[in-house]
Amino acid sequence: MFCPECGSTDKKMVGDICIDCFLKDFQMIELPKRIEVQICSHCNSKLEEGKWSDEFIPEEEIIYRALERNIKIADEVSNEIINLEIDQMRGTLAECYVEVTGEVEGAQIEETHETEVKILKTVCPSCSKIQSGYYETVVQFRADNREIKPEEYAKADEIVDRTLQKQSKNDKLAYCPQRAKLKEGYDYYIGSFKSGNKVAEALKEEFGGIIKESPRLISEDKSTGKGLYRVWISIRIPEFEKGDIIKYEDNLIQVNGIDKNRVVGIDIKTAKQHHIPLKNMEDIEVVKKENEIETTTVISKSPQIMQILDPIDYSAVDLDMKDEYTKYNVGDEVKLIRVDNYMYLIN
C-alpha cells in the first residue's frame, strides 16, 4: 500500500500510514507538565482522587505515587517498562522525569518525559476539626440519686484517656477537647460518635449503670441538605455500691459486685445469691448504705437463740438461731441492719 505522508510502498501500514510515519508523532504515554498533591501539614495525610488517606507515607513515595496516578498509557503499547526519577527538589517542587520503553506494532521504542510535582501544604478536614475543637458526642457521667465520689471521677478520667488513646490508632477524632465539671457530674466532649460510644461502654464496664442516647439536630449541611447531629450519651451509674443493702422484689440483698450488665449480691435472709439485671436498676431500692451498717456484740448463745446487744439502747435482743450463726462465739463483733423494726445480721 502507498503511504500518503512519505510515499513509501514497502513498509508495514498502521491504518492509512506506514509504521515509521505513525511512530513519528506517536506517544506511548500522556503525562501532565505539572502535578499538584495536597498534603496535610499536621498529620501528613494526603488527598487522592477526592479522598483523604490517613496512611503515613514518606514525601518521596507520595511524589512517585502522584506520577504513577497521572500516567496514561496508550492502548497500542505492550510490554511497557516505566522508570520514575526525581531529578531534584526545590522546596516543595519536585522536578521529575519518566522513562518509558515498550513495543508498538512490533517496534521497540523509548520515550522520556519531564514533569514537576508540586506539594501543596494544607489542612485535612479531620485536623481542621481538631483545631476548631469540633465534637460529635457529649458523654455525660452521672450517678443515680447520689454524688459521685472523687475517686470515681479520677477513675472515669483514667478510663476516658485510656479508651481514646486506644481508639486514636484508627480514629483521628478520638480526642477530648473539653471536660466540663458540673455539679451533677462530668461532661466529656468527644470528637467522633464512634469513639464517644466506646468511652461510654468503657465507663459502663467499670461502674455498671444505664446508657441512654439523645441525638440533637444542630444544623444542616448546605451542600447535601442533610441534618447534622450531635449525640448526648448519658451513662448513669447506680445509687448503690458494693457493700450496700438493697431491696429488689421484696428481697433484702447485700451487694457483692456490680458489672456492666448486672448486680450480684447475697440475700441477707436466705443467704441465697442473686443476679439482678442492671436494666432493672429503677426497681432497686437502697435500704442501707455500707456506712450505715451497725456493729454490735454477741452476748450469749444457745441451740435455739443467739443474743446480741442493741447498739442503740444496749438492751438484749434475741435472734432465732440459724446455721450461719453457729460460727459466732460470745464476745464476737457482728454487723447488723434494722429494717421495719427487725434486726438482720450480715457478713
Side-chain angles (χ1 to χ4, degrees):
M1 293 181 66
F2 172 75
C3 175
E5 292 192 12
C6 68
S8 174
T9 59
D10 59 352
K11 295 179 182 178
K12 178 181 177 180
M13 303 295 290
V14 181
D16 295 330
I17 59 177
C18 72
I19 182 67
D20 289 344
C21 292
F22 173 79
L23 292 177
K24 182 172 61 177
D25 296 320
F26 179 79
Q27 283 194 337
M28 288 192 289
I29 66 169
E30 291 182 19
L31 183 66
K33 291 297 183 183
R34 184 184 177 96
I35 301 168
E36 293 184 345
V37 181
Q38 294 188 51
I39 299 178
C40 179
S41 57
H42 294 275
C43 68
N44 207 47
S45 62
K46 63 190 183 304
L47 184 63
E48 290 182 322
E49 299 178 350
K51 294 182 179 180
W52 284 93
S53 170
D54 291 339
E55 181 185 7
F56 179 81
I57 300 173
E59 195 170 88
E60 186 178 89
E61 181 64 22
I62 290 174
I63 293 170
Y64 284 131
R65 290 191 182 189
L67 291 170
E68 290 173 352
R69 284 199 312 275
N70 284 274
I71 292 173
K72 293 183 180 179
I73 304 174
D75 294 337
E76 295 87 350
V77 180
S78 62
N79 300 322
E80 68 275 6
I81 298 174
I82 299 175
N83 182 40
L84 308 175
E85 292 290 340
I86 300 173
D87 189 29
Q88 65 173 327
M89 287 288 301
R90 292 188 290 110
T92 57
L93 186 67
E95 295 179 356
C96 309
Y97 64 87
V98 178
E99 293 179 342
V100 187
T101 60
E103 291 183 17
V104 179
E105 297 292 337
Q108 189 79 17
I109 58 176
E110 297 181 0
E111 286 179 8
T112 300
H113 296 259
E114 294 182 355
T115 186
E116 58 185 26
V117 178
K118 175 67 174 177
I119 294 177
L120 302 175
K121 294 291 186 177
T122 184
V123 180
C124 72
S126 294
C127 288
S128 178
K129 288 177 177 179
I130 292 171
Q131 287 182 322
S132 67
Y134 172 87
Y135 63 94
E136 294 178 359
T137 309
V138 180
V139 178
Q140 298 178 307
F141 183 57
R142 303 287 188 267
D144 192 27
N145 297 321
R146 69 175 176 88
E147 291 187 358
I148 299 175
K149 298 177 178 178
E151 57 267 28
E152 290 174 319
Y153 280 131
K155 187 66 176 179
D157 282 346
E158 178 188 326
I159 290 169
V160 171
D161 291 340
R162 184 173 66 244
T163 304
L164 291 178
Q165 184 177 11
K166 183 178 180 181
Q167 284 293 111
S168 66
K169 297 176 182 177
N170 300 306
D171 180 6
K172 287 177 68 174
L173 295 180
Y175 74 111
C176 182
Q178 181 182 352
R179 302 184 188 206
K181 299 181 180 181
L182 310 175
K183 182 179 179 181
E184 59 271 24
Y186 281 8
D187 284 355
Y188 298 95
Y189 292 72
I190 309 298
S192 72
F193 170 72
K194 177 175 67 175
S195 290
N197 195 52
K198 289 288 187 181
V199 166
E201 287 292 340
L203 290 171
K204 183 181 178 182
E205 181 83 33
E206 174 67 26
F207 297 102
I210 296 175
I211 291 178
K212 291 184 179 180
E213 293 185 10
S214 175
R216 303 178 193 176
L217 179 66
I218 56 170
S219 64
E220 186 177 277
D221 188 324
K222 294 180 180 179
S223 61
T224 63
K226 294 182 179 180
L228 297 176
Y229 289 85
R230 283 198 176 118
V231 181
W232 271 252
I233 304 177
S234 171
I235 166 72
R236 185 160 55 93
I237 67 176
E239 176 184 5
F240 48 85
E241 303 167 82
K242 185 176 179 180
D244 292 351
I245 308 299
I246 60 174
K247 186 176 183 181
Y248 179 72
E249 294 182 345
D250 294 326
N251 299 303
L252 289 174
I253 299 166
Q254 185 173 30
V255 177
N256 284 348
I258 304 169
D259 62 28
K260 64 177 182 178
N261 293 318
R262 64 181 183 172
V263 183
V264 180
I266 299 294
D267 193 313
I268 63 174
K269 297 179 183 179
T270 65
K272 180 182 177 182
Q273 190 175 66
H274 288 266
H275 298 86
I276 307 170
L278 270 177
K279 64 181 180 180
N280 299 337
M281 195 169 81
E282 294 181 355
D283 298 324
I284 298 174
E285 175 190 351
V286 177
V287 176
K288 294 286 183 181
K289 299 294 291 181
E290 186 179 26
N291 59 9
E292 297 177 311
I293 296 174
E294 300 175 82
T295 302
T296 189
T297 304
V298 177
I299 56 176
S300 70
K301 280 181 67 176
S302 72
Q304 292 78 33
I305 292 175
M306 184 172 75
Q307 200 172 61
I308 62 172
L309 200 63
D310 188 322
I312 294 179
D313 61 10
Y314 302 106
S315 62
V317 178
D318 291 340
L319 300 177
D320 292 334
M321 181 60 68
K322 297 180 180 180
D323 290 341
E324 58 265 30
Y325 293 172
T326 56
K327 63 183 179 182
Y328 296 123
N329 298 311
V330 174
D332 285 350
E333 286 192 344
V334 292
K335 303 285 187 180
L336 67 86
I337 62 167
R338 304 168 192 266
V339 180
D340 299 328
N341 295 319
Y342 190 85
M343 293 185 183
Y344 298 92
L345 295 191
I346 59 174
N347 290 323

